Amino acid sequence: MQRFARDDLFDLAHSLLTGGGLDPEKARVVADLLIRTDELGVTTHGISMVSYYLPELASGRMTSDGRHEVVTDRGATQVWDGNYLPGHWVMTHALDAAMARARDTGIAAIAIRRSHHIGCLSTLTRIAALQGQICYIATSDPSGQWVAPYGGVEPLLTPNPWAIGYPGGDHPVLIDTCASITTVSKVREHINSGTQFAHPWMLDAEGNATTDPNVVNATPKGSILPVGGMDHGHKGFAMSLMVEMLTQGLSGHGRVEAPDRWGANVFLQVMDPAAFAGAGAFEAQVDHLNAACRDSTPVPGRGPVRIPGDRAASAMAAAETQGIALPDEVLTRIRNCAQTAGLGFPAALA
Amino acid sequence: MQRFARDDLFDLAHSLLTGGGLDPEKARVVADLLIRTDELGVTTHGISMVSYYLPELASGRMTSDGRHEVVTDRGATQVWDGNYLPGHWVMTHALDAAMARARDTGIAAIAIRRSHHIGCLSTLTRIAALQGQICYIATSDPSGQWVAPYGGVEPLLTPNPWAIGYPGGDHPVLIDTCASITTVSKVREHINSGTQFAHPWMLDAEGNATTDPNVVNATPKGSILPVGGMDHGHKGFAMSLMVEMLTQGLSGHGRVEAPDRWGANVFLQVMDPAAFAGAGAFEAQVDHLNAACRDSTPVPGRGPVRIPGDRAASAMAAAETQGIALPDEVLTRIRNCAQTAGLGFPAALA
């Protein structure tokens, strides 16, 4: 683990992306959000993503220039086609559009088909929450099959992340979760490091729960268990169906078209508390409950109860004073990208 | 288990409720939805609820006459005060209002404070789904404390049910779940029958997972575990915070006011697929995924994968041809109510 200056990491990410062919303005938006993600402590989805995006740019599977298309617009609802543009860029525009409309109508939603990967959801919801809005984002990739329906053994669904951010006193509440117990990134981490999960969060192709991440590479393929696992996984499966419906049903594109490329379907919704009982009343209820939870007696041997977003706020505060911390795995990956591109690597902070 | 004619059960519920002082038109709406809930096979929330509502009517804690108040109205968003009126009646009006607005603006939401109990959520979402709409309902009771925040031992939250219904081919998809693993009704059932849960879904006041439902009556009180339990309960806790925020934050009433009576705060949202990529495109994606799930290979020894709403559709079909099935526990409870009220009890179907 080493710490770096924000500007240095931004410059590196920006140079790598423009070097990979991405239009400089889009590269600016993507690099800024990737570094913000590292600042929030979600280093699986920060600058390290550049190493996955560069081959996509090189092959043309991530579109390097142009704009999304507005397919339908009814004011408070829209459908966009993201044209496989970088998801951070698409989402920045979608957030602006949805927030502007929600301030007018109180609520607004955009369903997006064919974006490329949108990165860390809470980095995005946080933008709206800092402006007083409630922001919900769900995403699926109709080309991916990692999670089996509850009661079945064939992976048919993606982990289907969803997040909601909203104002919450000192810093926003940032819920960022998914419909499966664990994620594809975590599965890859365990496979790469040769380790097992601490709990039986995987399902082999015979329908047995297991801690072994390698079942996803077996023939026939195993899968990631839905939230709730073997005994109440119908709850995670239900969440997963909801995310597929919101992201693919509403955008009118998905598993029917069976895309074979990495992509992101997105459902974005913004609500303005001022259009309901008011921002003050909203924050009073949220702050009251958050305080009660934080002040409650912890399970023996554990630290205090945390509200989602508390850890991100601490990471952000540390990054501001000490620089951005990157783990060795990320450093190795990005050093390789820099070397391939003939770029220098920034010096770590003392 | 015995089966009864719909009209007979409706007449009994209606007579019990009007006898309890409820305005006849409200009793008609409540009785109809309770019997519909039994028809859908959710007998914990059907006619048996009358036995809980009668004492509430008698004490005036369920309001027997009058209307809800519209607190704010911005077109696509509203806040209502339910004045502790019967929740089925309040929700019937809220559904009508939200569906009418969603057909215009594509999306509409109503946050409701101080309703009384709204019953089975999927009975309500189904109404909108049968009309082609996507309907999300979440509810909390700010007077209740049954679920501890993840990492804590003090119950601070309600199970916080949420449901989403949407068109899905032969019958609607009816997701109806909550943020805790199990429900207060199930805990009461196990306590009454002297049985343990099959899995450790409870938490004692020392922070140990247990199958014992009686921990909720211990001093200090135990609690129901959030979805995900001991190893990934942060996911259920996040869901729970979201439901409290939507239902109490947006309605501007909740745990800050610390009500000491049974009530329901509600968040209702309706979306019209026609305002997005169109009803046809929506159903194509939903039907495709549902078929893939239903057709997938089941875990050995289990039946086929079910989509939420499949069981309700079977129960409804059986009720239509054979009458409505009520379990003995419900019959005992309702027979007692009828006897106390001096009403006859309908004959079971042969």
Side-chain angles (χ1 to χ4, degrees):
Chain A
M1 171 86 83
Q2 290 182 290
R3 288 187 179 269
F4 296 85
R6 182 185 220 284
D7 289 351
D8 289 349
L9 293 182
F10 172 84
D11 289 344
L12 175 61
H14 191 264
S15 299
L16 285 169
L17 290 166
T18 51
L22 189 60
D23 149 21
E25 170 55 16
K26 292 186 177 64
R28 187 189 65 72
V29 172
V30 175
D32 183 63
L33 288 170
L34 290 177
I35 308 306
R36 176 61 40 84
T37 303
D38 283 317
E39 285 179 312
L40 293 168
V42 189
T43 53
T44 49
H45 286 63
I47 192 170
S48 76
M49 291 308 301
V50 172
S51 64
Y52 299 106
Y53 295 164
L54 289 176
E56 292 286 293
L57 282 166
S59 67
R61 290 188 305 266
M62 179 185 274
T63 306
S64 58
D65 203 359
R67 288 186 61 79
H68 61 276
E69 179 199 347
V70 177
V71 180
T72 68
D73 186 349
R74 282 266 294 258
T77 60
Q78 291 187 296
V79 174
W80 288 15
D81 187 326
N83 193 26
Y84 290 104
L85 284 156
H88 295 85
W89 185 85
V90 173
M91 288 304 293
T92 299
H93 287 265
L95 276 168
D96 283 348
M99 283 193 286
R101 282 151 197 256
R103 284 205 187 85
D104 180 33
T105 56
I107 187 169
I110 304 179
I112 307 172
R113 60 172 81 147
R114 302 189 336 127
S115 170
H116 207 294
H117 189 243
I118 66 171
C120 171
L121 304 193
S122 56
T123 304
L124 299 168
T125 59
R126 182 174 172 272
I127 292 170
L130 287 172
Q131 296 180 50
Q133 307 289 299
I134 302 163
C135 179
Y136 174 87
I137 298 175
T139 181
S140 67
D141 181 352
S143 77
Q145 299 191 311
W146 294 90
V147 179
Y150 184 65
V153 295
E154 289 157 8
L156 296 177
L157 306 149
T158 31
N160 293 353
W162 62 272
I164 187 162
Y166 50 96
D170 292 342
H171 56 261
V173 178
L174 299 176
I175 291 168
D176 189 342
T177 184
C178 65
S180 54
I181 302 185
T182 188
T183 62
V184 176
S185 313
K186 292 283 174 196
V187 171
R188 288 197 178 120
E189 266 181 37
H190 278 286
I191 290 174
N192 291 341
S193 62
T195 55
Q196 301 274 306
F197 280 101
H199 304 278
W201 288 352
M202 308 296 296
L203 187 74
D204 70 21
E206 287 73 48
N208 306 301
T210 171
T211 58
D212 184 3
N214 298 293
V215 294
V216 299
N217 293 327
T219 307
K221 276 204 301 182
S223 59
I224 305 172
L225 279 167
V227 164
M230 295 302 279
D231 68 279
H232 59 289
H234 59 291
K235 301 209 170 201
F237 176 42
M239 242 190 285
S240 191
L241 290 173
M242 171 173 155
V243 171
E244 301 250 339
M245 175 275 290
L246 292 172
T247 56
Q248 297 173 36
L250 286 178
S251 76
H253 169 92
R255 298 192 187 274
V256 170
E257 289 73 21
D260 62 357
R261 58 197 281 188
W262 185 13
N265 277 40
V266 184
F267 177 78
L268 163 69
Q269 177 175 324
V270 175
M271 290 189 286
D272 184 358
F276 289 87
F282 179 85
E283 294 210 26
Q285 297 293 338
V286 168
D287 291 355
H288 178 87
L289 181 63
N290 287 354
C293 291
R294 290 192 184 103
D295 294 347
S296 70
T297 309
V299 169
R302 291 211 199 181
V305 169
R306 278 200 313 258
I307 298 295
D310 287 356
R311 191 148 50 181
S314 305
M316 178 62 97
E320 274 168 7
T321 55
Q322 305 160 43
I324 299 171
L326 294 181
D328 294 343
E329 201 268 333
V330 168
L331 290 174
T332 305
R333 187 182 297 280
I334 294 300
R335 267 186 219 283
N336 286 343
C337 292
Q339 201 160 29
T340 305
L343 294 170
F345 201 82
L349 299 176
Chain B
M1 173 84 82
Q2 290 181 289
R3 289 187 178 270
F4 296 86
R6 182 183 221 284
D7 289 352
D8 288 349
L9 293 181
F10 172 84
D11 288 344
L12 176 61
H14 191 264
S15 298
L16 285 168
L17 290 165
T18 52
L22 189 59
D23 148 23
E25 169 57 16
K26 292 187 178 64
R28 188 189 63 73
V29 171
V30 175
D32 182 64
L33 288 170
L34 291 177
I35 308 307
R36 177 61 39 85
T37 303
D38 283 318
E39 285 179 312
L40 293 169
V42 189
T43 54
T44 50
H45 286 63
I47 193 170
S48 77
M49 291 307 301
V50 172
S51 65
Y52 299 106
Y53 295 164
L54 290 176
E56 292 286 294
L57 282 167
S59 67
R61 291 188 305 267
M62 179 185 273
T63 306
S64 58
D65 204 0
R67 287 187 60 81
H68 62 277
E69 180 199 347
V70 178
V71 181
T72 68
D73 186 349
R74 284 264 295 259
T77 62
Q78 292 188 296
V79 175
W80 287 15
D81 187 327
N83 192 26
Y84 291 104
L85 284 157
H88 296 84
W89 185 85
V90 173
M91 289 304 292
T92 299
H93 287 265
L95 276 167
D96 284 347
M99 283 193 286
R101 283 150 197 257
R103 285 205 186 85
D104 181 33
T105 55
I107 187 168
I110 304 179
I112 307 172
R113 58 172 83 146
R114 301 189 336 127
S115 171
H116 207 295
H117 189 243
I118 65 170
C120 171
L121 304 193
S122 55
T123 305
L124 299 168
T125 59
R126 182 173 172 273
I127 293 170
L130 287 172
Q131 296 179 50
Q133 307 289 297
I134 302 163
C135 179
Y136 174 87
I137 299 176
T139 181
S140 67
D141 181 352
S143 78
Q145 299 189 312
W146 293 92
V147 179
Y150 184 65
V153 296
E154 289 157 9
L156 296 176
L157 306 149
T158 31
N160 292 353
W162 63 271
I164 189 162
Y166 50 96
D170 291 342
H171 56 261
V173 177
L174 299 176
I175 291 168
D176 189 342
T177 183
C178 66
S180 54
I181 302 185
T182 188
T183 62
V184 176
S185 312
K186 291 284 174 197
V187 170
R188 288 198 178 119
E189 267 181 35
H190 278 286
I191 291 173
N192 291 341
S193 62
T195 54
Q196 302 273 306
F197 280 101
H199 304 279
W201 289 350
M202 308 296 296
L203 187 74
D204 71 20
E206 287 73 48
N208 306 301
T210 171
T211 57
D212 184 2
N214 298 292
V215 296
V216 300
N217 293 327
T219 309
K221 277 204 298 184
S223 59
I224 305 172
L225 279 168
V227 164
M230 296 303 278
D231 69 278
H232 60 288
H234 60 289
K235 300 210 170 199
F237 176 43
M239 242 190 285
S240 191
L241 290 173
M242 171 173 156
V243 171
E244 300 249 339
M245 175 275 289
L246 292 173
T247 56
Q248 298 173 36
L250 286 178
S251 76
H253 169 92
R255 298 191 187 275
V256 170
E257 289 74 21
D260 62 357
R261 59 196 280 186
W262 186 14
N265 277 39
V266 184
F267 177 78
L268 163 68
Q269 177 174 324
V270 175
M271 291 189 285
D272 184 357
F276 289 86
F282 179 84
E283 293 209 28
Q285 297 294 336
V286 167
D287 291 355
H288 177 88
L289 181 63
N290 288 353
C293 291
R294 289 192 185 103
D295 293 348
S296 69
T297 310
V299 169
R302 291 210 199 184
V305 169
R306 277 199 314 259
I307 297 296
D310 286 356
R311 190 148 51 180
S314 304
M316 178 63 95
E320 274 168 10
T321 56
Q322 305 161 43
I324 299 172
L326 294 180
D328 294 343
E329 202 269 333
V330 168
L331 289 173
T332 305
R333 186 183 297 280
I334 294 301
R335 268 186 217 282
N336 287 342
C337 290
Q339 200 159 31
T340 305
L343 294 170
F345 201 81
L349 299 176

